[in-house]
Amino acid sequence: MSGRLNRAQPYALGLFRIVIGLLFACHGAASLFGVLGGAMGGGTVPTGAWPGWYAAVIQLVGGGLVLLGLGTRFVAFVASGSMAYAYFTVHQPEALWPLQNGGEASVLFCWTMLLLVFTGSGALGLDRLFAGRGERAEESAPAGEAVPA
């Protein structure tokens, strides 16, 4: 059983990344465009408002890139940091525990994005497609020969 699960791990991680990226992008779209219920019970975040508008842009763009698996580790690092910032500046001053201060989504996104920093995109991501091209180019070059400048 463990062998089958281990072989499926990259695909499960890829599906995990896709779902997390989609949910993260939806939060950004709600804040920026007022879709899916909008920000704060309806409406949008004012353009350029610190930190809400910038967080929404990170959510929308970062979520889309994570969904596609493009630059996953770097994008997830930025997204994780933005969610940590959101938690400690917006939610944590209200109460200690996320359940009390409404910060569950921030905490969960922070830790899931941090997990993606260490695991990468898994299967089904564009990171793998581009990594495969780079490896094939390196394999086709003869080893040990000097490259002319």
Side-chain angles (χ1 to χ4, degrees), residues 83-100:
M83 290 295 97
Y85 180 84
Y87 180 75
F88 286 111
T89 60
V90 176
H91 299 286
Q92 199 276 328
E94 299 297 320
L96 179 62
W97 296 102
L99 187 60
Q100 294 173 314

Side-chain angles (χ1 to χ4, degrees), residues 32 34 49 53 61 63 71-72 86 89 105-106 109 113 121 123:
L32 291 174
W53 185 82
V61 174
T72 303
T89 60
S106 296
F109 277 126
M113 291 296 184
S121 63

Side-chain angles (χ1 to χ4, degrees), residues 6-65:
N6 287 343
R7 284 190 299 275
Q9 184 176 358
Y11 299 101
L13 182 58
L15 290 173
F16 174 80
R17 173 190 45 78
I18 289 168
V19 169
I20 293 301
L22 177 64
L23 292 173
F24 202 59
C26 286
H27 275 272
S31 296
L32 291 174
F33 308 120
V35 297
L36 305 169
M40 300 167 276
T44 62
V45 175
T47 304
W50 176 258
W53 185 82
Y54 295 93
V57 170
I58 290 171
Q59 290 169 354
L60 180 64
V61 174
L65 291 171

